[in-house]
Amino acid sequence: MSAAPGTTPVQARPADPSPDDGFFAGMWLVVTLDLKQRVRGVAWYVLLGVFVLLVTIVTGLLVLATNAWDDGGGGVFSTIVFFVLLLGTLVSPALSGNAINGERDAGTLATTQVTLITTAQLVVGKWIAAWLTALAFLAASVPFLVFAVALGQVSAATIMVSVLVLAIELGVIAAIGVGLSGVLTKPLFSVAVTYLVVAALSIGTLIAFGLGGTAIQTTVRQTYIGVDWQALEQDGPPPAGSLAPCLPPVIREYPTPRFDLVWGFLAANPYVVLADAAPGTFDEYGSPRDLFGWIAVGVRSAQHAPETDVLIDDCATWRPSGEYVQRDTETPQEIHDRSVPSWFVGLTIQALLGGGALFWAWRRTEVPARRLPAGSRVA
């Protein structure tokens, strides 16, 4: 039936999923409706354009600062991935933190709940939509990641693992935001709490690690044996094979932090999870080639307790020729390889946090509601 002249045809509402369509049909209906609503305005494209501009500036500065044309793109690639995660933690809470209570506040949530859409389909669909929105930023950064890979020194394993973990981290943040939007009544409050949770994971874990390690200290006893240079000047070098004249041992004690007792706080940090999960690549001297490796080595070195009885013997390393003998020290690669990875523990903690938030949102949004919070809008 055609519309009357001079009138605008009314667009049909998407059909309700039938019970035979299954869970995923109803969930995907929520996803598509939510995505269409997000991309309808100009603000979304402006935000994406600003993101691309920022990544372009950061990439250009990284190429100049790291001499990537000669040293490879490992540092550029890892920094871009971290920058995408940083912007994701800044933008995703604002996009997901009002997904459910925003519709309740606008009076459109009840309209969806009276259809055949279940509460689980609604909550999961909102989460998937928020996750896909966050992944759009990752997709926008792909040309820059490809450019970094083209510079060389980036392994295929590093590319796949880091991008996969980054996508999972964005999904965890989206789950926390959507979950809190279903638990809390006010959209502004749920967005603020989502930012606080993300800040606690990103910055709070670092503060807890630093303060905890500094508060728990142990005493180190250092013994120093130096060369008697005055005796060498008076008597000359000793015969070949003889030891140099040594000064009496000097013993001093000083406190040192015990970061090995609190390094577990860092396991839940999303940046540490991303760095620790990425396969380490090292040069011929055992030094990391990218930012992933340096952060992973720093976190894994914190697992080991400090030496409480230190001996520094310059006499043992003295040579008549004046040649300096390097003391035996571990390379960053050796520290990395002999330490325990923690990324899977942190990812499990974050997954439980995001899943718990979604489950709580499902219980609070389920209809018919047994008890509504004060000030809740029904329709």
Side-chain angles (χ1 to χ4, degrees), residues 337-363:
D337 293 341
R338 76 179 181 92
S339 304
V340 179
S342 62
W343 63 268
F344 56 90
V345 178
L347 210 56
T348 302
I349 294 174
Q350 295 173 6
L352 291 176
L353 185 61
L358 291 176
F359 177 78
W360 195 3
W362 169 66
R363 295 293 297 174

Side-chain angles (χ1 to χ4, degrees), residues 143-292:
F144 305 96
L145 296 176
V146 172
F147 169 74
V149 172
L151 294 174
Q153 301 295 340
V154 184
S155 65
T158 300
I159 297 171
M160 291 186 293
V161 173
S162 60
V163 172
L164 177 61
V165 174
L166 173 58
I168 295 175
E169 289 291 342
L170 295 176
V172 168
I173 298 172
I176 294 173
V178 172
L180 290 176
S181 72
V183 173
L184 303 175
T185 306
K186 301 299 181 182
L188 183 60
F189 185 52
S190 62
V191 171
V193 174
T194 303
Y195 273 113
L196 289 177
V197 173
V198 173
L201 293 174
S202 303
I203 304 175
T205 52
L206 297 178
I207 296 176
F209 170 75
L211 293 179
T214 306
I216 307 172
Q217 297 190 352
T218 189
T219 301
V220 175
R221 187 174 187 270
Q222 183 188 78
T223 303
Y224 175 74
I225 304 176
V227 177
D228 191 346
W229 298 103
Q230 186 176 0
L232 282 176
E233 292 179 359
Q234 293 178 355
D235 304 334
S242 301
L243 296 176
C246 301
L247 295 172
V250 177
I251 300 175
R252 73 183 187 97
E253 295 182 349
Y254 58 90
T256 187
R258 291 298 303 271
F259 293 112
D260 59 299
L261 300 178
V262 295
W263 72 270
F265 284 112
L266 297 178
N269 189 293
Y271 299 91
V272 172
V273 170
L274 179 57
D276 195 55
T281 55
F282 301 87
D283 58 19
E284 62 273 17
Y285 304 105
S287 299
R289 295 183 181 273
D290 51 31
L291 191 56
F292 294 144

